[in-house]
Amino acid sequence: MAPKGGTIFFLLIVACVVSSLKPDDMPGDVQAFKDMARRLMKKCKKKGDPVPQMTLLNTVFVDSELPLKETNGDQSKSFLPTFLSVLHSLSPVKNSPGRVPLDDMDKMTNKMLNCRNLANMIKRMKNSSEPSACYTKAFMAPLSWVTLKKKCVNNMSSDDYDTLLSAAKPVVLDMPSSSVNLPDIAVGRDLMKWMGMLRSAYGVMSAEQRTRVLKWAKAQILQNNFNCTTNQSPDSKSTHMKPCKRSQKWMSSGALDELGPFLSSLTTKDVDSSTREKLCEFFFSVHNNDSGSSKRPTVAKGILQGPQECPTCAEKSADYVDNLLRLSPLACYCPTNQNVTPDLSRKLLPQLAHCDVNNFRIKKLKKNLVNSLMSNSNASQALQDLGSSVTLLSPKQLSRFACNDIKEVLKKLGSNVEWTRSQLRTLVKKCLGDKKCKEVSVKELMDLGSIAGGLPRCVLKHVRAQQILSDIEGLKKISKGMRKGQLKAMLQGVLSEDVDLSELVQKLPDSLLPSVSLKLLEKANISSLDQLKNKTLTPAQAAFLARKTFNQKKPLFRKLHSVLQGITCKMIDKVVDSEVQDMVQDIAETPQWLPKVQAGCAARKLFATLEKTRVDYFKTITKEEMDDIPPILLLRLPPGKLKDLPDSVCPVFLEKMQVANLSSLPLRSPSRPAIIKRALLCIANGKDLSVLTTEDVFKLGPLVCELPPSQLRLMAPYARNASLEAMASCQQIPRRHIADLMKLIIENYGNSSDWSAETLESLGCLLFFDNKASSALPCKPWVKDVLYSLMSSCKLRTLEKKLFECTTNTASNAARRKRTVRNTMDAKVPTAELIEELQSRNVFWTHADLEKIPVDTFVTTVETLGDFLDYSQDQLAVLIDKAIEAFGPVSQMTESEVTQLGCITQGFSAKDLPTLPFSLDSLEDISHCGWTESQMEVVWMGVARYDNITVQQLGAADLVSLNQFICGLSSNEINQINVDAFKEAVGSINDIQCSAKVAQQLKNIAVSAFGSPSTWTEAEVSDLGNIIAGLNATDLASLNPSVFSFLRSSSIPLIPPNDFAALTDDHLRALGPDNAAMVTSEQWAALTEEQRYALDSAVTGTRDPAPEPVQSSQSGAPSLDVEGISSFMKPLLFLVLSFLLL
């Protein structure tokens, strides 16, 4: 019998009431547990782990029910139904155990999170060898985590406590930084055990997580030892305690030892809170060898300062170094003048392998240790002890060793070894002699390891397939440091004999795979992506394979990996609704490979599919449904839908945003400001921004980079400072924010001339967005070390310039121009040590400074000076004079000397350039130097003369080595290029930038190779790269719009404006955000209003362009809409309505 309408309606009412309950209405710990368990189980599902059967579940969960008196007689309150409910919320899960009612998900209460029997359950789970145990471990991890925060653990045995901590570790590894929710109180044994577990997870934690763990540990130490609190938040649970004094000396030897690697997150003030005696005690009795690498040099130096000044330090020099070894990363800050024996040098050198490679002080320290080690009478053994530091030996030192000794060292080294050009020449000559094109066996080649990068192409052309493919690891080693021309030459040598192309392509390492042309890839006949599992493909190769393997009837997106960059929007649109979720989850496994255009298409497809399932989908979306949307797609939720999201999904939304990669979203996407607004709504929860805490700021994650200064000003000082310090690690900040942001920084922290080391370390790159503020920073003794620590994350010319000034003790250019003649001697003379330290910053020397370089210094450092471009004509003129003074007249210069000069050779006259001994092998190293077309013409003339070669003789490897100098070929010579060789080489030279005239001639070769532009595929367009710029208006208009997102971004500004104006609206919309952003003002001016409208659509990544976001002038939190009221009133209205109908 069917139920009556009134009954159904009443059930609907009940369901509505339940669905409208917010997470805050449920027990907090239980809800947190369920969310964490579901997230961890999703990882098991992604890995393809089998779902556990009831046999295993009964084994693990047996006797897990609480005693009858604790469950009020309800035996259903066991963990098994909850486990099954969480498991089924991952729908669809294949072969899962029997379903349970969904409301069992909510039967678990805080009372069930009891300490009893849980340790036994975990031990039973660990005893299981079944692969499906992943799901039970995912369930037990948050269960243990939540339980450990309860008081019942105080009566737990030490063994059981360890069991729970070990089981809880996956939660630490998975938890977003803002959700690192550690126990409010941990004393004695508990604190030690927690820190032990957290130390073991240090290596996989984010910087934010490490900082939060340190903050928690410090708070625990202060609470336990000094009965005070550091929490400034008004809702703090420790407000009954007195605030801690800023000068509180909390860092005892035991505290330092307990912190272990989290020392790396200490501030200068923290170090100042310890006495010299405590630092000495800690240093010479340290038990932990995992003390972490500090990104703050002043902190590391502060920790080491005490031991260096200890009264007994002089007698303990050996102990000092020994303890540096135990403290590991702190060894990076060992004084450069530390006198150590060869034996201690041998021990200390490996500890410096992870130190900041940008810091010349580290390099100097290493060189001192190398020299100490080389003073050992047994030079051969010393060479073996050097390990990767062998690269610090000069060419002269390397020439003293036998080739066999060098090969023995190379066997132990991996492929990530970087040699200078002169070192490579020395080592190759040592092992192969003077004969340039000597034929070597595969074994001899493999024995050379990383120095194979110094071999000429003529040697590599003799490599044979069957021998080299039998040693793939060796192939990886020798190919890692090779140039494109060398790789192509080696591949052609392999192809010179009969070889299975499919096997070849599958076995090639990632370093060689980009050299595989589309033609070769087609011949390889790859029929399944499993044949190229985890290979890193070029965009052109990915597009070719995506088209070849895509099955329209049953599209497969799983495990595409790098092939994902080759899928098209058309392929995404063909996915049927029932398979969209599978596609989305497959894409989410490797989101880094999904281009912006295709991400936008996938997001639109997903959102449209979801909205077909019910009306107002995003207004009523649940946390579980939100959790199933990958961050890369959630970023593209339109502003209107972001505004409609219910408050109940805020925790999941914020967690998604914390791990989202904002760089995958177009810079001008209208979703950017809408996401920020929605995130602030979630965090503020209707309150004013002035009440936000530092914890709230952490919840923003990378969104903090998008915060406008007007919003920052509304925050409390501690929250504003936390935001600014978080912004210091931003890879990008909207340009429109920078001016006001700098004003806010100066208001908050004062003028940069008065900053402390801690302030500069905390604000990092922010200062160097502004020339004036960075110029005001004085070159105090500590500044240079801090600047070096910023180099890896801050790629700004202002930072480079400031580092140059602080290294050379020279004033800014403005100040130097004001100097009188008598003050010009104040600048430092460029010594060999200074030049080696400055590296690319040598371009900041004036030509007058460069004139002071002694000849012998120039000879020693010429390769360093020649490695970089951006010299002015005046600087180049001085350096050329130095070269002639050092090496003699141009007519007498050798190929080795010209190769050492590198980019300096730009400074030679048009008369001298064709007479220089340039070889084809050497051109690739200098192709990036910024040559003019007229210079390239005469350089090619010199190469043709020196190598006795003509254009007709150029093979694919030769064209790749010629590289940018192809632009120097005459019209007649371009017509003589072999079409097959061009087709084989073009994928490796698609970044060349020629004049419009030369590009048009190269286009003719491209048409001969690939056919009419109207037939070009996405793969071919991507393969041709910048050569596309040679297409005329008719050619461009004939291209299929679908290929436009596969154009190389650098090709866009090379297209003449009149030709660019021939593109249709569909072409312009299809460009995609990155390509559209490259359009020049001249190209834009040539477009009609309709075309500009279409272009704007491409820039924003939307189907219709959106206006620039207008910043609200209102204060406080973003205004809340009626959604909160609606969610409260909806169930109430239903209830009233039901009574009326009864």
Side-chain angles (χ1 to χ4, degrees):
M1 184 175 176
K4 294 182 179 181
T7 306
I8 293 175
F9 192 71
F10 185 78
L11 291 174
L12 177 63
I13 294 168
V14 174
C16 186
V17 173
V18 172
S19 65
S20 66
L21 287 176
K22 296 181 180 179
D24 295 336
D25 299 324
M26 299 179 66
D29 282 347
V30 172
Q31 189 59 38
F33 154 72
K34 292 173 182 174
D35 291 342
M36 287 186 282
R38 187 173 190 273
R39 189 162 57 242
L40 290 171
M41 282 188 184
K42 282 181 73 175
K43 290 189 173 184
C44 299
K45 183 183 175 184
K46 277 186 179 181
K47 289 191 300 179
D49 289 332
V51 175
Q53 299 303 309
M54 288 304 298
T55 306
L56 174 64
L57 297 179
N58 285 329
T59 301
V60 172
F61 293 109
V62 67
D63 296 330
S64 65
E65 289 84 359
L66 300 177
L68 189 63
K69 62 181 180 181
E70 293 191 25
T71 59
N72 296 322
D74 187 356
Q75 288 293 328
S76 69
K77 291 183 177 180
S78 71
F79 292 118
L80 182 55
T82 308
F83 172 88
L84 294 174
S85 295
V86 176
L87 181 65
H88 286 302
S89 72
L90 300 178
S91 178
V93 178
K94 296 179 181 179
N95 304 318
S96 62
R99 284 189 172 274
V100 294
L102 289 178
D103 62 350
D104 275 339
M105 180 82 168
D106 298 321
K107 285 183 179 179
M108 185 173 178
T109 64
N110 269 318
K111 199 171 184 179
M112 288 181 62
L113 298 178
N114 194 286
C115 301
R116 292 190 182 183
N117 297 324
L118 187 54
N120 290 330
M121 290 167 57
I122 294 169
K123 289 172 184 176
R124 284 196 294 269
M125 175 191 69
K126 283 186 174 181
N127 291 333
S128 172
S129 58
E130 291 191 34
S132 60
C134 177
Y135 285 91
T136 51
K137 289 178 182 178
F139 182 82
M140 289 299 185
L143 187 60
S144 301
W145 180 271
V146 175
T147 305
L148 281 165
K149 294 163 59 182
K150 295 189 167 293
K151 292 181 180 179
C152 63
V153 296
N154 295 335
N155 301 321
M156 186 178 285
S157 71
S158 179
D159 181 56
D160 285 347
Y161 198 94
D162 289 340
T163 300
L164 262 64
L165 266 179
S166 176
K169 188 174 178 180
V171 174
V172 181
L173 308 184
D174 180 73
M175 196 178 289
S177 58
S178 67
S179 303
V180 177
N181 187 14
L182 298 165
D184 295 322
I185 299 175
V187 297
R189 174 203 72 172
D190 294 356
L191 180 59
M192 289 178 62
K193 288 183 179 293
W194 271 97
M195 288 307 300
M197 186 271 283
L198 293 169
R199 284 198 303 268
S200 68
Y202 177 87
V204 291
M205 285 186 182
S206 66
E208 292 80 8
Q209 286 174 318
R210 293 170 183 176
T211 301
R212 289 172 69 80
V213 169
L214 173 69
K215 183 180 177 182
W216 172 80
K218 177 181 174 181
Q220 296 304 311
I221 293 170
L222 286 164
Q223 278 183 200
N224 297 341
N225 298 346
F226 304 98
N227 197 32
C228 66
T229 180
T230 58
N231 201 329
Q232 304 177 62
S233 301
D235 57 345
S236 169
K237 295 181 181 180
S238 54
T239 49
H240 64 281
M241 292 186 181
K242 62 182 179 183
C244 296
K245 296 178 182 177
R246 293 175 65 88
S247 59
Q248 184 70 57
K249 301 287 186 181
W250 67 274
M251 273 188 22
S252 66
S253 173
L256 287 165
D257 197 19
E258 201 64 56
L259 290 174
F262 295 98
L263 288 173
S264 62
S265 299
L266 288 173
T267 65
T268 308
K269 289 179 181 177
D270 289 326
V271 177
D272 291 342
S273 73
S274 183
T275 63
R276 187 181 68 175
E277 290 73 20
K278 287 179 181 177
L279 288 173
C280 288
E281 181 186 348
F282 162 66
F283 191 80
F284 288 108
S285 63
V286 66
H287 301 296
N288 294 310
N289 61 355
D290 55 353
S291 50
S293 176
S294 179
K295 292 184 178 180
R296 299 171 180 260
T298 52
V299 172
K301 284 187 172 183
I303 293 174
L304 293 180
Q305 188 72 29
Q308 289 170 34
E309 296 174 356
C310 290
T312 57
C313 194
E315 302 101 47
K316 293 188 176 181
S317 61
D319 286 344
Y320 184 87
V321 175
D322 265 352
N323 279 280
L324 274 177
L325 298 180
R326 289 205 287 272
L327 282 166
S328 191
L330 287 183
C332 299
Y333 299 93
C334 180
T336 55
N337 59 355
Q338 189 77 32
N339 292 321
V340 291
T341 64
D343 184 54
L344 289 176
S345 295
R346 178 178 54 78
K347 293 178 181 179
L348 190 53
L349 263 175
Q351 304 301 321
L352 304 178
H354 65 277
C355 297
D356 185 1
V357 294
N358 294 306
N359 196 328
F360 182 75
R361 194 188 62 77
I362 304 296
K363 190 174 181 180
K364 186 177 179 181
L365 172 59
K366 285 184 177 181
K367 281 192 172 182
N368 289 345
L369 295 174
V370 166
N371 291 333
S372 170
L373 191 55
M374 294 307 293
S375 66
N376 194 325
S377 56
N378 189 345
S380 179
Q381 181 57 49
L383 183 67
Q384 301 299 317
D385 293 336
L386 283 177
S388 60
S389 297
V390 69
T391 57
L392 295 173
L393 294 174
S394 67
K396 187 176 180 180
Q397 287 174 307
L398 288 169
S399 66
R400 295 172 185 161
F401 293 98
C403 181
N404 287 337
D405 289 337
I406 293 170
K407 287 180 179 179
E408 284 301 313
V409 175
L410 295 174
K411 285 180 182 178
K412 300 175 184 178
L413 301 179
S415 55
N416 297 320
V417 182
E418 295 185 8
W419 303 95
T420 65
R421 294 192 303 277
S422 55
Q423 284 176 321
L424 285 174
R425 282 194 303 273
T426 299
L427 291 169
V428 168
K429 184 177 180 180
K430 189 74 178 178
C431 291
L432 298 185
D434 293 321
K435 189 175 180 181
K436 184 176 181 179
C437 290
K438 179 181 178 181
E439 189 168 340
V440 299
S441 67
V442 169
K443 184 182 183 306
E444 288 177 304
L445 181 62
M446 295 303 184
D447 285 346
L448 290 176
S450 56
I451 67 171
L455 293 172
R457 289 172 301 111
C458 56
V459 172
L460 298 170
K461 285 180 180 179
H462 298 303
V463 173
R464 294 295 174 260
Q466 297 305 321
Q467 296 169 304
I468 202 165
L469 291 179
S470 63
D471 187 2
I472 299 302
E473 285 304 313
L475 187 57
K476 285 181 184 178
K477 279 188 179 183
I478 66 171
S479 61
K480 185 72 180 287
M482 286 185 178
R483 301 184 299 275
K484 290 180 181 179
Q486 292 172 305
L487 294 170
K488 182 64 78 172
M490 186 160 63
L491 186 59
Q492 286 194 305
V494 170
L495 293 171
S496 64
E497 62 181 32
D498 189 26
V499 61
D500 184 333
L501 294 180
S502 179
E503 180 190 5
L504 173 68
V505 171
Q506 291 177 58
K507 285 189 173 182
L508 287 179
D510 283 350
S511 50
L512 258 171
L513 201 54
S515 299
V516 174
S517 66
L518 294 181
K519 182 180 178 181
L520 179 58
L521 195 58
E522 184 176 15
K523 288 181 179 179
N525 196 27
I526 301 296
S527 57
S528 169
L529 294 180
D530 288 335
Q531 295 173 272
L532 295 177
K533 189 176 181 181
N534 297 328
K535 293 285 188 181
T536 302
L537 303 169
T538 66
Q541 292 169 337
F544 175 83
L545 289 171
R547 176 183 279 246
K548 179 178 174 64
T549 60
F550 185 77
N551 185 335
Q552 293 187 6
K553 293 182 179 179
K554 190 171 178 58
L556 182 64
F557 289 87
R558 186 167 179 77
K559 297 182 180 179
L560 283 179
H561 298 289
S562 63
V563 177
L564 196 59
Q565 61 188 318
I567 66 170
T568 64
C569 285
K570 188 175 181 181
M571 294 175 184
I572 292 170
D573 290 339
K574 285 185 178 296
V575 178
V576 297
D577 290 353
S578 61
E579 295 179 354
V580 167
Q581 278 289 3
D582 285 340
M583 175 195 73
V584 166
Q585 297 308 320
D586 293 343
I587 284 174
E589 290 186 16
T590 51
Q592 70 274 18
W593 292 114
L594 190 65
K596 288 188 177 75
V597 172
Q598 285 77 351
C601 293
R604 283 191 291 272
K605 180 71 174 179
L606 173 65
F607 301 154
T609 304
L610 293 176
E611 290 183 312
K612 290 178 185 177
T613 61
R614 67 172 181 268
V615 178
D616 293 333
Y617 182 88
F618 287 101
K619 287 184 179 180
T620 60
I621 190 172
T622 65
K623 290 190 298 182
E624 290 77 20
E625 290 169 336
M626 172 74 77
D627 196 37
D628 285 334
I629 303 177
I632 191 173
L633 302 187
L634 187 59
L635 285 172
R636 286 164 174 75
L637 200 61
K641 290 181 173 56
L642 282 163
K643 180 184 175 184
D644 288 340
L645 292 176
D647 293 340
S648 57
V649 300
C650 277
V652 179
F653 176 75
L654 291 172
E655 283 188 9
K656 292 277 184 182
M657 291 302 102
Q658 283 183 61
V659 297
N661 180 7
L662 283 180
S663 65
S664 67
L665 188 66
L667 288 176
R668 281 187 50 198
S669 169
S671 293
R672 276 183 180 262
I675 288 169
I676 293 295
K677 185 175 182 180
R678 191 66 189 92
L680 288 175
L681 277 169
C682 284
I683 293 172
N685 197 22
K687 301 175 185 176
D688 193 273
L689 291 183
S690 62
V691 302
L692 294 189
T693 66
T694 54
E695 303 297 317
D696 294 329
V697 171
F698 283 131
K699 291 177 183 177
L700 285 172
L703 295 182
V704 73
C705 304
E706 301 284 320
L707 278 178
S710 58
Q711 298 279 24
L712 291 170
R713 289 181 183 278
L714 301 175
M715 297 180 182
Y718 56 84
R720 181 167 57 245
N721 289 354
S723 300
L724 290 171
E725 291 178 16
M727 293 175 82
S729 59
C730 294
Q731 296 298 311
Q732 187 167 330
I733 291 174
R735 288 184 181 179
R736 64 183 182 275
H737 293 171
I738 290 175
D740 288 338
L741 189 62
M742 292 311 302
K743 290 179 184 177
L744 183 60
I745 288 172
I746 300 302
E747 289 173 16
N748 266 39
Y749 296 91
N751 194 290
S752 58
S753 59
D754 301 320
W755 283 8
S756 65
E758 186 175 9
T759 302
L760 182 57
E761 287 172 332
S762 298
L763 294 178
C765 295
L766 289 181
L767 176 69
F768 298 97
F769 282 112
D770 184 82
N771 287 330
K772 185 177 179 182
S774 59
S775 297
L777 183 70
C779 288
K780 296 178 181 178
W782 50 264
V783 167
K784 196 166 82 168
D785 270 334
V786 177
L787 296 181
Y788 269 127
S789 71
L790 297 175
M791 287 294 293
S792 58
S793 59
C794 188
K795 308 295 182 184
L796 293 170
R797 190 173 175 82
T798 47
L799 173 59
E800 296 264 9
K801 184 64 186 295
K802 177 55 67 175
L803 190 49
F804 172 82
E805 291 172 8
C806 292
T807 303
T808 60
N809 291 325
T810 56
S812 65
N813 283 339
R816 296 182 75 183
R817 282 195 294 270
K818 295 178 182 178
R819 286 179 177 167
T820 58
V821 175
R822 60 187 175 83
N823 287 330
T824 56
M825 297 303 291
D826 293 342
K828 276 194 173 184
V829 174
T831 62
E833 184 173 315
L834 265 178
I835 291 170
E836 290 297 334
E837 178 175 358
L838 289 170
Q839 294 292 309
S840 62
R841 296 175 290 282
N842 279 297
V843 298
F844 294 118
W845 292 111
T846 66
H847 67 279
D849 294 332
L850 294 173
E851 284 176 348
K852 299 173 186 175
I853 300 177
V855 175
D856 58 340
T857 298
F858 180 83
V859 172
T860 304
T861 60
V862 62
E863 199 164 296
T864 299
L865 292 168
D867 272 343
F868 307 101
L869 56 162
D870 291 339
Y871 289 114
S872 67
Q873 289 302 314
D874 288 341
Q875 290 172 312
L876 284 172
V878 171
L879 292 171
I880 289 298
D881 288 341
K882 290 290 178 186
I884 293 172
E885 188 179 354
F887 302 131
V890 174
S891 59
Q892 296 178 14
M893 288 186 183
T894 65
E895 181 183 344
S896 174
E897 290 166 343
V898 171
T899 302
Q900 288 181 68
L901 286 170
C903 289
I904 295 173
T905 51
Q906 278 183 287
F908 284 109
S909 67
K911 179 183 176 182
D912 288 335
L913 278 173
T915 66
L916 288 169
F918 283 117
S919 69
L920 200 54
D921 277 321
S922 67
L923 288 189
E924 206 173 337
D925 281 330
I926 58 173
S927 63
H928 68 287
C929 295
W931 300 85
T932 65
E933 202 157 285
S934 59
Q935 284 181 314
M936 288 188 280
E937 288 177 11
V938 293
V939 168
W940 160 245
M941 290 169 56
V943 171
R945 176 191 57 79
Y946 186 70
D947 280 353
N948 192 26
I949 192 171
T950 63
V951 172
Q952 297 98 318
Q953 296 172 302
L954 295 176
D958 301 319
L959 288 173
V960 175
S961 291
L962 192 57
N963 204 272
Q964 183 68 32
F965 290 91
I966 288 177
C967 302
L969 299 180
S970 67
S971 300
N972 184 47
E973 287 174 321
I974 290 175
N975 290 332
Q976 296 173 33
I977 293 176
N978 182 283
V979 174
D980 288 335
F982 175 85
K983 192 172 185 178
E984 184 66 30
V986 69
S988 298
I989 55 173
N990 58 13
D991 57 345
I992 62 173
Q993 297 189 13
C994 303
S995 67
K997 179 182 176 182
V998 174
Q1000 288 166 7
Q1001 293 167 330
L1002 289 173
K1003 182 264 299 189
N1004 294 332
I1005 305 295
V1007 170
S1008 299
F1010 296 101
S1012 170
S1014 63
T1015 67
W1016 288 353
T1017 64
E1018 294 84 3
E1020 290 165 341
V1021 163
S1022 178
D1023 209 35
L1024 286 165
N1026 290 344
I1027 294 173
I1028 290 289
L1031 297 180
N1032 59 33
T1034 303
D1035 294 329
L1036 284 169
S1038 73
L1039 289 172
N1040 191 316
S1042 68
V1043 307
F1044 270 68
S1045 67
F1046 288 84
L1047 293 176
R1048 190 182 180 93
S1049 293
S1050 57
S1051 72
I1052 303 300
L1054 301 176
I1055 301 173
N1058 290 337
D1059 294 333
F1060 188 77
L1063 298 177
T1064 66
D1065 293 356
D1066 286 341
H1067 286 133
L1068 293 169
R1069 286 193 188 92
L1071 277 172
D1074 292 339
N1075 287 340
M1078 296 296 289
V1079 172
T1080 66
S1081 56
E1082 291 81 6
Q1083 290 170 327
W1084 185 86
L1087 301 177
T1088 64
E1089 285 300 318
E1090 290 77 10
Q1091 286 175 311
R1092 293 174 186 174
Y1093 190 87
L1095 181 64
D1096 200 40
S1097 177
V1099 170
T1100 57
T1102 58
R1103 296 199 170 179
D1104 296 304
E1108 284 288 335
V1110 179
Q1111 297 297 328
S1112 172
S1113 59
Q1114 297 178 359
S1115 62
S1119 59
L1120 294 169
D1121 54 29
V1122 298
E1123 188 271 319
I1125 299 174
S1126 173
S1127 65
F1128 173 78
M1129 292 298 294
K1130 197 182 298 180
L1132 183 60
L1133 288 171
F1134 271 112
L1135 280 169
V1136 172
L1137 204 57
S1138 67
F1139 282 117
L1140 291 174
L1141 293 173
L1142 290 176

